[in-house]
């Protein structure tokens, strides 16, 4: 299966998500947060660095729970930029 290349906006959204998760993690280790979320530390590292810019919804939800973030806060910080603002 060939994956469609990501758009610049999808890459930017992944970078915003990674930054938000790094900030929310604070002093906690990647391994600690990953275990609590039920994912591998490698998966968390890829998300935080933008190498996995489109993680599955359930992965994002598990990280939100582990980091005590609301999904609304994640959407607000990382959601799509309106077309009028992108120009």
């Amino acid at each position: 299966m060939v994956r469609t290349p990501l758009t610049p906006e999808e890459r930017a959204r992944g970078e915003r998500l990674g930054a938000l998760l790094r900030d929310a993690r604070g002093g906690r280790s990647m391994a600690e947060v990953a275990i609590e979320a039920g994912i591998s530390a490698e998966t968390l590292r890829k998300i935080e660095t933008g190498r996995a810019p489109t993680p599955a919804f359930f992965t994002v939800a598990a990280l939100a729970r582990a980091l005590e973030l609301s999904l609304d806060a994640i959407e607000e910080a990382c959601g799509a930029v309106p077309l009028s603002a992108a120009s």
Side-chain angles (χ1 to χ4, degrees):
M1 181 168 117
V2 176
R3 185 172 180 154
T4 305
L6 297 174
T7 66
E9 173 52 34
E10 288 170 325
R11 289 179 202 268
R13 189 171 51 233
E15 290 171 4
R16 291 191 302 271
L17 175 61
L20 176 68
L21 296 177
R22 275 192 310 278
D23 289 345
R25 185 165 53 83
R28 294 170 67 189
S29 74
M30 234 182 235
E32 177 185 348
V33 172
I35 288 168
E36 190 172 336
I39 63 172
S40 71
E42 178 66 12
T43 297
L44 179 55
R45 184 181 69 72
K46 286 179 180 179
I47 294 168
E48 284 191 1
T49 60
R51 288 186 53 223
T54 57
F57 171 78
F58 291 105
T59 300
V60 175
L63 286 167
R65 181 181 31 80
L67 294 169
E68 298 180 0
L69 290 170
S70 73
L71 292 175
D72 287 336
I74 292 173
E75 195 281 328
E76 183 177 313
C78 306
V81 176
L83 292 177
S84 60
S87 321

